[in-house]
């Protein structure tokens, strides 16, 4: 029986990431870090992913080249190099959130739900929980309980007044879905993203101009709109032969030659069949796949629309496991599945993609759990976006944190990764993940 981990519905502040000129102003140090490493120009960073991660989590810019072997962590856990102090403190922060945020969510649900509340995590400020209140009875008691549940010092929870609740934003988003990829008075919307911190729904428009902006503002509630140019969307090698198979390794479509990634290994709910799970856009029904020099099987059940981009590949004679490729073969494993619609935005979210053998893990924060967009003319709704990095060949890769399986990578939208939530994948494919 699969294990379900109940998580919360909390949202993250995701300030857009900009490079302005050659220098980068130092962000807040992680908690009370005593790091003495010097601030450096952004151009000295060999990896933009590393630079972006440090910005998003409030670590500040340091020269990794100055780290001695004694000071530097191995870089495997979060996919970038950190000092030992930074890795320990960041790990402590994420563990604290993993334990307390589900309790925060449960308390909110019991006390009226998100009809009058929004909540999100600001990782850049060290993990502050921001709670916006629209209208609540016993507001002071509500605040005291939230502080008691989440905070272990006086600076962990910030309350503010909000005009729109999470439910308001989700309902507005759902009303706009019918206009996705349609010609609406000369306006074509190809992207919708619920942005809780801004209390708006981002609307991506093709070839945006002032006339198109006015059409939308005159038709809908302009206060809730954040109109911008539509971003580029793209569906997206660990070449060694593995047996038993494991999540995060490269597979190849022998009909097309295209490469993708194993998301996880699964079994049918009603039969004894076993499967590899990957992205649906990696092939079509009947296509054959191999892993290294071994044949895997053929693609069977496949979905590539709505809220799921995933497919099954029937296993032939190969063994299977719940192992995960991180920095090395079987560097991790899955023993938990994230509960249906209970994930919280702001949580640490990682991808193990097969595109780069030397740096296979990319981590960021969950940005939105309500993203709708058009990929190659096909509408998708209810996808998740996160700030991990992804490139071609990562399609189908597992989205996770620690031993928790969260979803299947689809590709990117702008600079964000986009993925199908695991609950939707399991429901559509009628499978259970291998967790032991």
């Amino acid at each position: 029986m699969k294990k379900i981990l109940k998580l919360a519905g909390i949202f993250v502040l995701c300030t857009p990431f900009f490079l302005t000129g050659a220098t980068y102003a130092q962000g807040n140090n992680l908690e009370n870090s005593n790091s003495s490493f010097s601030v450096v120009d952004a151009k000295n960073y060999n990896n933009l992913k590393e630079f972006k991660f440090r910005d998003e989590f409030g670590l500040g810019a340091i020269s990794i080249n100055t780290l001695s072997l004694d000071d530097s962590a191995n870089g495997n856990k979060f996919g970038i190099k950190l000092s030992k102090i930074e890795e320990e403190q960041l790990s402590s922060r994420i563990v604290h959130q993993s334990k307390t945020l589900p309790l925060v969510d449960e308390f909110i649900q019991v006390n009226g739900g998100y009809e009058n509340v929004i909540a999100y995590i600001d990782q850049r400020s060290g993990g502050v929980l921001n709670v916006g209140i629209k209208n609540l009875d016993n507001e002071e008691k509500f605040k005291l309980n939230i502080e008691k549940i989440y905070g272990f010092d006086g600076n962990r929870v910030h309350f503010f007044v909000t005009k729109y609740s999470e439910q308001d934003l989700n309902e507005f988003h759902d009303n706009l879905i019918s206009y996705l990829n349609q010609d609406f008075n000369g306006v074509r919307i190809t992207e919708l993203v619920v942005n809780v911190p801004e209390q708006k729904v981002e609307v991506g428009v093709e070839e945006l101009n002032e006339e198109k902006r006015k059409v939308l503002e005159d038709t809908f509630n302009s206060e809730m709109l954040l109109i911008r140019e539509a971003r580029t969307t793209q569906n997206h090698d660990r070449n060694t032969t593995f047996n038993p198979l494991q999540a995060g390794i490269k597979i190849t479509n022998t009909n097309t030659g295209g490469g993708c990634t194993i998301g996880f290994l699964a079994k049918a709910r009603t039969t004894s069949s076993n499967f590899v799970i990957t992205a649906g856009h990696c092939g079509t029904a009947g296509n054959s796949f191999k892993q290294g020099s071994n044949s895997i099987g053929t693609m069977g059940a496949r979905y590539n629309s709505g809220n799921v981009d995933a497919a099954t590949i029937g296993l032939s004679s190969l063994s299977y496991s719940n192992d995960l490729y991180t920095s090395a073969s079987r560097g991790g494993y899955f023993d938990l599945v994230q509960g249906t619609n209970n994930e919280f935005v702001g949580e640490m979210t990682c991808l193990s993609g097969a595109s780069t053998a030397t740096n296979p893990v990319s981590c960021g924060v969950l940005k939105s759990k309500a993203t709708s967009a058009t990929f190659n003319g096909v509408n998708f709704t209810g996808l998740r976006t996160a700030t991990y990095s992804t490139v071609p060949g990562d399609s189908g890769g597992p989205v996770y944190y620690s031993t928790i399986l969260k979803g299947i990578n689809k590709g990117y939208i702008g600079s964000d990764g986009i993925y199908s939530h695991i609950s939707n994948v399991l429901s559509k494919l009628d499978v259970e993940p291998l967790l032991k």
Side-chain angles (χ1 to χ4, degrees):
M1 180 180 294
K2 70 180 179 181
K3 300 177 183 179
I4 300 295
L5 177 68
K6 183 179 180 184
L7 296 178
I10 308 297
F11 293 80
V12 64
L13 175 62
C14 291
T15 304
F17 179 74
F18 299 102
L19 288 178
T20 55
T23 60
Y24 168 62
Q26 184 181 23
N28 295 328
N29 285 335
L30 175 63
E31 269 83 80
N32 296 314
S33 173
N34 293 319
S35 172
S36 60
F37 305 124
S38 60
V39 179
V40 296
D41 289 346
K43 64 183 179 181
N44 292 328
Y45 273 87
N46 295 323
N47 193 331
L48 182 59
K49 181 181 76 173
E50 184 174 278
F51 182 81
K52 182 179 178 181
F53 181 94
R54 298 189 65 82
D55 175 69
E56 288 177 337
F57 285 90
L59 302 182
I62 65 171
S63 175
I64 295 301
N65 293 330
T66 66
L67 292 176
S68 68
L69 291 178
D70 291 336
D71 289 330
S72 178
N74 58 29
N76 295 337
K77 187 166 187 178
F78 301 115
I80 69 164
K81 293 180 181 179
L82 299 172
S83 71
K84 289 181 179 179
I85 293 175
E86 288 175 322
E87 184 168 292
E88 288 171 1
Q89 292 185 340
L90 182 55
S91 296
S92 177
R93 182 203 300 183
I94 301 304
V95 167
H96 172 72
Q97 292 173 2
S98 298
K99 290 180 178 178
T100 59
L101 287 174
L103 301 177
V104 171
D105 177 66
E106 183 178 357
F107 177 79
I108 292 174
Q109 298 285 7
V110 170
N111 288 273
Y114 290 91
E115 181 179 352
N116 289 295
V117 173
I118 62 174
Y120 59 93
I121 299 297
D122 183 356
Q123 297 286 12
R124 186 173 282 109
S125 66
V128 171
L129 170 62
N130 292 270
V131 180
I133 298 174
K134 179 180 176 182
N135 182 27
L136 279 179
D137 295 330
N138 300 318
E139 183 174 317
E140 291 306 313
K141 183 178 180 181
F142 178 88
K143 291 179 179 179
L144 288 173
N145 277 286
I146 293 290
E147 288 176 337
K148 182 179 179 180
I149 294 169
Y150 184 74
F152 55 84
D153 64 40
N155 299 314
R156 292 288 167 185
V157 185
H158 169 66
F159 295 99
F160 62 96
V161 176
T162 181
K163 185 172 183 179
Y164 299 109
S165 67
E166 178 185 336
Q167 181 173 305
D168 295 333
L169 296 173
N170 288 334
E171 289 176 352
F172 187 46
H173 166 271
D174 293 347
N175 290 336
L176 291 172
I177 287 177
S178 61
Y179 299 95
L180 191 65
N181 202 29
Q182 302 294 319
D183 187 339
F184 174 67
N185 296 331
V187 179
R188 186 170 295 274
I189 298 171
T190 61
E191 180 189 351
L192 298 167
V193 179
V194 172
N195 186 329
V196 171
E198 296 291 335
Q199 302 172 46
K200 295 180 184 294
V201 173
E202 298 180 29
V203 180
V205 177
E206 288 185 346
E207 299 178 356
L208 177 63
N209 56 36
E210 289 307 311
E211 183 178 349
K212 293 179 180 179
R213 184 186 299 275
K214 189 174 188 304
V215 168
L216 294 176
E217 290 177 341
D218 288 347
T219 306
F220 306 106
N221 182 352
S222 60
E223 282 190 347
M224 298 180 73
L225 291 173
L226 199 165
I227 304 169
R228 53 169 170 71
E229 182 70 34
R231 297 178 292 177
T232 300
T233 60
Q234 178 63 55
N235 291 322
H236 272 167
D237 348 310
R238 293 150 168 79
N239 297 307
T240 306
T241 300
F242 296 91
N243 192 18
L245 295 171
Q246 59 189 287
I249 60 175
K250 182 179 180 178
I251 55 175
T252 302
N253 185 322
T254 58
N255 295 90
T256 66
C260 281
T261 304
I262 292 179
F264 60 95
L265 286 299
K267 57 184 178 181
R269 286 180 172 143
T270 56
T271 70
S272 59
S273 300
N274 297 313
F275 303 102
V276 162
I277 307 299
T278 190
H281 72 262
C282 291
T284 58
N287 283 173
S288 297
F289 286 79
K290 67 177 183 178
Q291 196 289 304
S293 60
N294 287 333
S295 173
I296 300 176
T298 59
M299 183 170 282
R302 175 181 178 271
Y303 293 89
N304 190 28
S305 63
N307 59 12
V308 171
D309 180 359
T312 62
I313 301 172
L315 287 179
S316 53
S317 60
L318 299 179
S319 301
Y320 54 96
S321 72
N322 64 335
D323 294 323
L324 168 67
Y325 191 113
T326 55
S327 60
S329 176
R330 314 200 188 283
Y333 62 92
F334 297 127
D335 63 3
L336 294 167
V337 174
Q338 190 168 64
T340 305
N341 297 323
N342 287 326
E343 80 272 29
F344 53 88
V345 178
E347 69 191 10
M348 176 77 75
T349 303
C350 300
L351 165 70
S352 178
S355 60
T356 308
T358 57
N359 194 15
V361 174
S362 176
C363 295
V365 295
L366 178 60
K367 187 174 181 180
S368 176
K369 62 178 182 180
T371 297
S372 301
T374 301
F375 285 77
N376 299 326
V378 179
N379 290 347
F380 288 81
T381 61
L383 297 179
R384 275 60 170 166
T385 46
T387 60
Y388 61 73
S389 300
T390 178
V391 297
D394 291 344
S395 293
V399 179
Y400 71 98
Y401 177 68
S402 185
T403 63
I404 306 165
L405 180 59
K406 299 182 177 183
I408 294 295
N409 182 53
K410 175 173 177 58
Y412 66 78
I413 180 168
S415 60
D416 297 327
I418 190 165
Y419 66 96
S420 308
H421 191 262
I422 187 62
S423 62
N424 297 324
V425 172
L426 298 179
S427 175
K428 285 286 189 181
L429 298 180
D430 197 25
V431 298
E432 294 183 355
L434 184 68
L435 298 176
K436 63 180 181 179

